[in-house]
Amino acid sequence: MDQGNKSGVTEFILHGLSGSQELQLFYFVFFTLFYFSIVLGNLLIVLTVISEPALHTPMYFLLSNLSFIDVCLSTFATPKMIIDFLMEHKTISFEGCMAQIFFLHVFAAGEMMLLVAMAYDRYVAICRPLYYASIMSLRKCTSLVVGSWLIGVFHSVSQLIFTVNLPFCGPNKVDSFFCDLPLVIKLACTNTFTLEVLMLSDSGLIAMSSFVLLLISYTVILVTVRRHSSTGMAKARATLTAHITVVTLFFAPCIFIYGWPFSSLPVDKVLSIFYTVFTPLLNPLIYTLRNKEVISAMKKLKSRQVCF
Ligand SMILES: *[C@@H]1O[C@H](CO)[C@@H](O)[C@H](O)[C@H]1NC(C)=O
């Protein structure tokens, strides 16, 4: 390893969300509540799906895998951000910073792949209902899940290899509450144009292509649903609209930050809250907790707990 590489910088300074001291306290309370809701809500979903045999179907397995990845996504940076609200000096070690970049990209890319897998599952269920059982076997579901994680790890490693070896020689102020790749690259004492192009075509491509895939599959599903105008289909339409909203809230900030990495704006750190905090909170609310079968399984779980 080249020891001279990161000679100057052993830690980074995070600016966090700016504001007065009262505002920091408000952020602290607000995000603490958010964080605990995310973790509790999502873990409840995982527990419910795993403990209820009736929910052992590809759709619910994908949902609970999404919940699991949401817990991961909200945990790689948010607890540190919350504690940092109470700190005067918000610092993070070089290794910690690289770890944050690594995990953000594993979880975010994994989540994107999982959302595509879920849209695919709904597409088959609604547009090819007769073949659903043969197309979406449990084995297929498992390979979709494993594939999502593998793509996440591969994507993240491919970017990190270049980032850890950048020469950081002095500038170490990151204007966000965690180490976001475009902001960290900016600090390197070298021309980072090639790296930014690489990042654009790596992160940007993953986000863009899965977003387009999602839009296409949701459009096809909506058109199919429109042809049948029963009440059940009206419900399906409402659900799909909710899904599209969440998906857009997740992807739009990602594409905005990683699609135009050359000009990081102050608004970027506010946008990054969408994919680290808001999406993990909204996912269980929109995807699962409005679902009757999940709710009744949760009630069952609760009554079983009471019996113990
Ligand atoms: C993820 O999905 C697989 C099936 O493909 C399932 O066996 C596993 O329990 C799920 N994991 C979680 C955390 O829900």
Side-chain angles (χ1 to χ4, degrees), residues 21 23 28 60 72 74 85 87 105 116 120 185 193 199 223 238 243 250 266 272 301:
Q21 217 149 37
L23 204 54
F28 175 80
Y60 291 108
C72 301
S74 63
F85 284 133
M87 302 284 182
H105 284 268
V116 172
Y120 173 68
I185 286 183
F193 183 79
M199 185 182 71
V223 169
H243 286 197
F250 178 54
S272 61
L301 190 71

Side-chain angles (χ1 to χ4, degrees), residues 46 49-50 60-62 64-65 68 138 141-143 145:
V46 172
V49 171
I50 286 179
Y60 291 108
F61 274 143
L62 290 176
S64 86
N65 274 282
F68 178 69
L138 270 184
C141 174
T142 308
S143 16
V145 170

Side-chain angles (χ1 to χ4, degrees), residues 80-260:
K80 169 150 175 56
M81 165 179 87
I82 290 173
I83 293 168
D84 274 349
F85 284 133
L86 302 179
M87 302 284 182
E88 184 114 27
H89 301 287
K90 314 174 201 315
T91 58
I92 184 167
S93 67
F94 183 88
E95 290 74 18
C97 187
M98 293 301 135
Q100 283 195 336
I101 293 175
F102 174 74
F103 286 120
L104 169 67
H105 284 268
V106 173
F107 300 145
E111 169 134 352
M112 286 176 181
M113 294 301 122
L114 216 48
L115 286 170
V116 172
M118 287 166 61
Y120 173 68
D121 170 74
R122 286 304 83 202
Y123 163 80
V124 177
I126 292 174
C127 303
R128 301 270 178 279
L130 297 179
Y131 304 101
Y132 182 76
S134 61
I135 298 178
M136 276 307 280
S137 56
L138 270 184
R139 236 177 86 197
K140 180 83 149 279
C141 174
T142 308
S143 16
L144 286 174
V145 170
V146 173
S148 299
W149 280 100
L150 285 182
I151 291 178
V153 171
F154 182 76
H155 154 74
S156 190
V157 168
S158 72
Q159 284 189 145
L160 202 67
I161 288 175
F162 297 100
T163 313
V164 284
N165 286 317
L166 282 174
F168 292 100
C169 60
N172 67 344
K173 296 193 174 60
V174 179
D175 184 21
S176 186
F177 57 90
F178 66 99
C179 284
D180 210 355
L181 185 59
L183 301 174
V184 174
I185 286 183
K186 287 247 145 48
L187 303 175
C189 310
T190 176
N191 187 349
T192 54
F193 183 79
T194 331
L195 190 60
E196 288 182 59
V197 172
L198 179 86
M199 185 182 71
L200 182 81
S201 46
D202 199 327
S203 295
L205 197 71
I206 285 210
M208 272 308 232
S209 53
S210 37
F211 189 51
V212 169
L213 267 177
L214 282 171
L215 285 188
I216 292 175
S217 49
Y218 278 132
T219 310
V220 174
I221 295 173
L222 272 176
V223 169
T224 311
V225 165
R226 179 153 294 166
R227 286 209 213 102
H228 316 261
S229 50
S230 61
T231 43
M233 285 300 168
K235 231 189 83 194
R237 200 149 59 215
T239 315
L240 288 174
T241 317
H243 286 197
I244 295 172
T245 313
V246 187
V247 160
T248 309
L249 282 180
F250 178 54
F251 278 90
C254 288
I255 293 175
F256 186 79
I257 293 176
Y258 283 87
W260 285 271

